[in-house]
Amino acid sequence: MALSDYIINSNETPLSLEEIHLSDENKGSLKQLLKEFKYVAILNQFQLPVDNKIFLFGHTGCGKTTTAKAIAQALGKKIIILNLGTIVSSRLGETSKNITEVFKKAIREKAVLFLDEFDSIGRLRDHDDNDSAEMKRLVNTVIQLIDELPNDTLLIAATNHSKVIDIALLRRFQLKLKYELPTKKQLDVYYNSLLSQFPEEFRNVDRVYNISYAEAKDITFRAVKNVIIANEESKAQTELLKNSEQRV
């Protein structure tokens, strides 16, 4: 497969970091990150590296991918999205080559490189003893690529299963941001923001808690669609009865 076959392209307009529901701790860390990239030239003069390696971990559907896209937008950089679950090949030697090529592309373009399902490396190493030696070489390749990453390229890795990641890989990331399920209060704020775009008559939605933002969004939009469709069907039925009475 060609290198371009592994890269995920998104045509969606990304949210800004201000629009994402982040914890105060994560907001502070990302605000500092953006400041460092803003003043990267002066930091380089003092031989101070920017924090350009970020590890996002935690519950699925809580904004890791959305955050990566928002960071790229805030920095005015292209984002290259790579799902490691799809690039890891049964022929592991090819995997090292493919990942190396993606890193080179990101460096050439001074882009944001987003590695999703970062646990794929750790999981394969744990579950396939026959390929353990080759997997170790792959991990070493990734470590070397991370170590050689220049200041003007940003690496973001994300996983829902941080415990399986090789400790040597984890040490390479200066920032580690945890994503947890939102509280009831946080979800209420999110529900309100989702429903505010619809007319008042469509906002009476049963709210579910102890779920992720992604799940809340799906539930809200599904409920609103059901109300809209029911409303349209009621209008159609009323019109049908009206026409029937006129014919009589």
Side-chain angles (χ1 to χ4, degrees):
M1 296 177 70
L3 177 62
S4 58
D5 294 330
Y6 294 109
I7 296 174
I8 301 172
N9 295 309
S10 175
N11 296 321
E12 297 179 1
T13 301
L15 297 176
S16 67
L17 285 172
E18 291 75 19
E19 294 175 291
I20 303 174
H21 296 264
L22 297 166
S23 68
D24 290 340
E25 183 179 355
N26 287 353
K27 283 182 182 178
S29 296
L30 293 176
K31 185 177 181 180
Q32 174 65 23
L33 170 78
L34 297 182
K35 286 183 178 180
E36 289 189 16
F37 270 87
K38 181 178 179 179
Y39 296 104
V40 63
I42 187 66
L43 294 177
N44 283 338
Q45 289 181 26
F46 288 93
Q47 298 182 338
L48 289 169
V50 298
D51 288 343
N52 65 336
K53 294 175 278 289
I54 311 173
F55 183 69
L56 311 180
F57 67 101
H59 201 283
T60 182
C62 289
K64 293 186 290 295
T65 301
T66 305
T67 298
K69 293 177 180 179
I71 291 172
Q73 182 191 52
L75 295 175
K77 289 179 174 289
K78 175 182 178 181
I79 185 168
I80 298 172
I81 303 175
L82 184 68
N83 187 315
L84 286 179
T86 61
I87 197 173
V88 172
S89 169
S90 57
R91 300 171 66 180
L92 291 175
E94 290 186 3
T95 301
S96 293
K97 179 182 176 182
N98 290 330
I99 292 178
T100 298
E101 288 303 310
V102 173
F103 267 82
K104 288 181 178 179
K105 176 179 174 63
I107 292 170
R108 284 195 307 270
E109 299 179 4
K110 300 179 180 179
V112 172
L113 174 56
F114 178 52
L115 301 180
D116 201 6
E117 293 193 17
F118 199 60
D119 54 282
S120 296
I121 294 176
R123 284 189 163 190
L124 279 180
R125 185 186 62 248
D126 291 341
H127 295 172
D128 193 347
D129 293 336
N130 292 331
D131 286 331
S132 60
E134 191 63 49
M135 181 54 68
K136 288 179 181 178
R137 282 192 284 272
L138 172 58
V139 171
N140 288 336
T141 296
V142 174
I143 288 174
Q144 183 177 356
L145 290 168
I146 294 175
D147 287 344
E148 295 174 353
L149 201 68
N151 260 3
D152 54 10
T153 303
L154 177 62
L155 172 66
I156 305 175
T159 180
N160 302 329
H161 309 283
S162 59
K163 293 183 179 179
V164 303
I165 304 297
D166 189 284
I167 191 65
L169 281 170
L170 285 178
R171 284 201 303 267
R172 265 62 192 181
F173 294 89
Q174 301 109 329
L175 293 180
K176 300 179 181 67
L177 308 184
K178 186 175 183 180
Y179 286 71
E180 300 180 291
L181 285 178
T183 63
K184 182 178 184 297
K185 182 178 179 180
Q186 290 170 328
L187 275 175
D188 275 330
V189 172
Y190 187 60
Y191 278 124
N192 290 340
S193 68
L194 290 174
L195 292 168
S196 64
Q197 62 188 295
F198 303 109
E200 187 70 34
E201 62 266 30
F202 300 140
R203 298 181 190 177
N204 188 19
V205 172
D206 290 333
R207 301 186 176 194
V208 181
Y209 299 96
N210 197 34
I211 58 175
S212 69
Y213 287 117
E215 291 169 314
K217 183 178 181 180
D218 289 340
I219 289 171
T220 301
F221 285 176
R222 190 179 303 116
V224 171
K225 286 186 290 185
N226 288 340
V227 173
I228 292 174
I229 291 170
N231 187 54
E232 291 302 306
E233 288 182 338
S234 178
K235 287 181 182 179
Q237 185 65 26
T238 300
E239 186 67 23
L240 183 63
L241 288 173
K242 181 180 177 180
N243 293 338
S244 178
E245 289 172 355
Q246 288 176 348
R247 286 194 296 270
V248 173

